[in-house]
């Protein structure tokens, strides 16, 4: 969800928004404030709109002024914005986590995996009976995660339809490659870019609302996801929505599946017949398990992508 908004901004404007995760955090906190007044579902609609307006104002008042100085100036001003947003969030909502809980309709489990010794693996809708889980291994899938998956897929479909099947999408794409021609046809190119930036920030705000009720809403939530979304965009392909989807799935699997593997190079070499002892060369590295190095695997993949395919898996731009 985050990488799609970041991809939209970069593919349409060429701006690498370093403060994208900050808009994600702002969306969560605005929704938290609105939930007490209006409820969760109105907040789910209004919070992204408020974040989109803030993003559009930032583009109009600040980012547009430095656009002529190139990518470095844009990166620096968005980098500075991330620090300003962090301080403002801490001043308004405090430095500790806020109790942003999902509504009753999203609480509980969507389904339960049951591994029974005699019956094998089965799937139970909702929560499995306690008597069944007492005799088997049960693993629940939270309803909030299913809701997040659904919103992410709807977001991807809506973006693809807008950019490829609507007049607005054609104007947006033409404004990037042929701005003079678009202006000659009567369209306001700066306004188009402002709307694109605001829309990308609104998508980040929507991700913040869903992520806020699924995870923890606290000032470090932007830092938690800030670096990994750039990895997703680079691996999938800068400027490609399909690449952002494929990259997010790939990085998600690369972050989670290795956590279940306790093997290491030392154990693999030992099974191959080699004698590995604490005195062996490189033993501190050889004894690291796959689960221990799992957090750095996405970044290693990004390095390999930058070396062998700089435009990413499905990207078309080299910059």
């Amino acid at each position: 969800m985050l990488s799609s908004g970041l991809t939209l901004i970069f593919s349409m404007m060429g701006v690498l928004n370093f403060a994208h995760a900050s808009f994600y955090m702002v969306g969560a906190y605005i929704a938290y404030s609105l939930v007490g007044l209006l409820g969760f579902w109105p907040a789910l609609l209004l919070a992204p709109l408020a974040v989109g307006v803030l993003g559009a104002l930032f583009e109009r008042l600040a980012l547009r002024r430095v656009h002529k100085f190139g990518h470095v100036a844009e990166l620096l001003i968005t980098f500075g914005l991330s620090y300003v947003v962090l301080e403002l969030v801490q001043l308004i909502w405090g430095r500790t986590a806020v109790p942003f809980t999902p509504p009753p309709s999203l609480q509980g489990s969507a389904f339960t995996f049951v591994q029974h010794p005699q019956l094998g693996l089965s799937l139970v809708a909702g929560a499995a009976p306690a008597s069944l889980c007492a005799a088997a291994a049960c693993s629940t899938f939270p309803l909030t995660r299913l809701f997040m998956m659904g919103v992410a897929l709807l977001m991807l479909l809506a973006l693809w339809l807008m950019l490829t099947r609507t007049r607005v999408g054609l104007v947006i794409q033409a404004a990037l490659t042929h701005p003079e021609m678009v202006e000659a046809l009567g369209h306001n190119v700066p306004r188009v870019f402002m709307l694109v930036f605001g829309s990308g920030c609104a998508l980040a705000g929507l991700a913040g609302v869903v992520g806020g009720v699924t995870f923890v809403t606290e000032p470090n939530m932007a830092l938690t996801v800030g670096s990994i979304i750039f990895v997703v965009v680079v691996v999938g392909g800068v400027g490609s929505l399909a690449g952002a989807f494929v990259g997010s799935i790939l990085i998600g699997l690369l972050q989670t599946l290795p956590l279940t593997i306790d093997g290491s190079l030392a154990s693999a070499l030992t099974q191959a017949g080699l004698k590995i002892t604490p005195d062996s060369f490189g033993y501190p590295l050889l004894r690291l398990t796959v689960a221990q190095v799992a957090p750095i695997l996405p970044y290693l993949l990004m390095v390999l992508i930058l070396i062998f395919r700089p435009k990413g898996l499905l990207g078309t731009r080299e910059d």
Side-chain angles (χ1 to χ4, degrees), residues 2-313:
L2 276 169
S3 59
S4 61
L6 185 63
T7 299
L8 175 67
I9 292 175
F10 189 87
S11 62
M12 297 296 105
M13 300 178 60
V15 176
L16 193 58
N17 183 17
F18 199 89
H20 195 70
S22 298
F23 288 106
Y24 160 81
M25 177 174 61
V26 171
Y29 274 99
I30 291 180
Y32 163 73
S33 299
L34 293 177
V35 163
L37 300 175
L38 306 174
F40 176 77
W41 299 108
L44 181 65
L45 299 176
L46 295 178
L49 293 178
V51 175
V53 171
L54 293 175
L57 290 175
F58 171 73
E59 194 281 335
R60 175 63 181 86
L61 300 176
L63 187 60
R64 188 179 302 181
R65 299 176 182 271
V66 302
H67 185 70
K68 59 184 177 181
F69 298 110
H71 294 308
V72 175
E74 295 168 345
L75 184 63
L76 288 176
I77 195 171
T78 56
F79 184 77
L81 176 65
S82 65
Y83 281 96
V84 173
V85 170
L86 176 61
E87 293 299 326
L88 289 176
V89 165
Q90 291 178 341
L91 285 174
I92 298 174
W93 287 283
R95 296 178 179 271
T96 59
V98 296
F100 190 16
T101 57
S105 56
L106 292 180
Q107 295 180 3
S109 60
F111 47 83
T112 304
F113 290 101
V114 180
Q115 182 68 45
H116 197 276
Q118 285 79 30
L119 302 178
L121 181 64
S122 59
L123 186 66
V124 179
S131 58
L132 180 61
C133 289
C138 295
S139 177
T140 61
F141 190 85
L143 192 58
T144 52
R145 299 295 182 103
L146 185 64
F147 177 69
M148 179 188 297
M149 292 166 59
V151 173
L153 292 176
L154 288 176
M155 178 188 296
L156 177 68
L157 179 61
L159 277 177
W160 180 78
L161 290 176
M162 184 197 73
L163 294 176
T164 61
R165 297 293 187 270
T166 65
R167 181 180 176 87
V168 174
L170 294 177
V171 171
I172 290 174
Q173 295 185 66
L176 176 65
T177 56
H178 301 85
E180 295 84 4
M181 183 62 69
V182 173
E183 285 187 341
L185 292 175
H187 299 285
N188 190 328
V189 173
R191 183 180 299 173
V192 170
F193 285 161
M194 181 181 70
L195 293 177
V196 168
F197 192 88
S199 299
C201 294
L203 294 178
L206 177 59
V209 179
V210 179
V213 298
T214 305
F215 307 114
V216 180
T217 302
E218 46 94 19
N220 288 325
M221 62 186 301
L223 183 62
T224 303
V225 299
S227 59
I228 202 65
I229 60 173
F230 288 98
V231 175
V232 170
V233 171
V234 171
V235 171
V238 176
S240 171
L241 285 175
F245 177 74
V246 173
S248 62
I249 297 295
L250 182 60
I251 295 301
L253 293 174
L254 198 59
Q255 281 186 308
T256 54
L257 290 182
L259 295 176
T260 63
I261 304 175
D262 291 329
S264 63
L265 285 177
S267 60
L269 293 175
T270 301
Q271 293 179 359
L274 299 177
K275 184 178 181 181
I276 303 297
T277 65
D279 297 329
S280 301
F281 177 76
Y283 180 76
L285 295 178
L286 294 176
R287 69 175 183 175
L288 292 176
T289 64
V290 178
Q292 289 176 321
V293 300
I296 67 171
L297 292 180
Y299 302 96
L300 293 178
L301 177 61
M302 182 184 69
V303 171
L304 295 176
I305 289 291
L306 291 174
I307 293 174
F308 297 104
R309 189 176 174 83
K311 63 181 180 181
L313 296 178

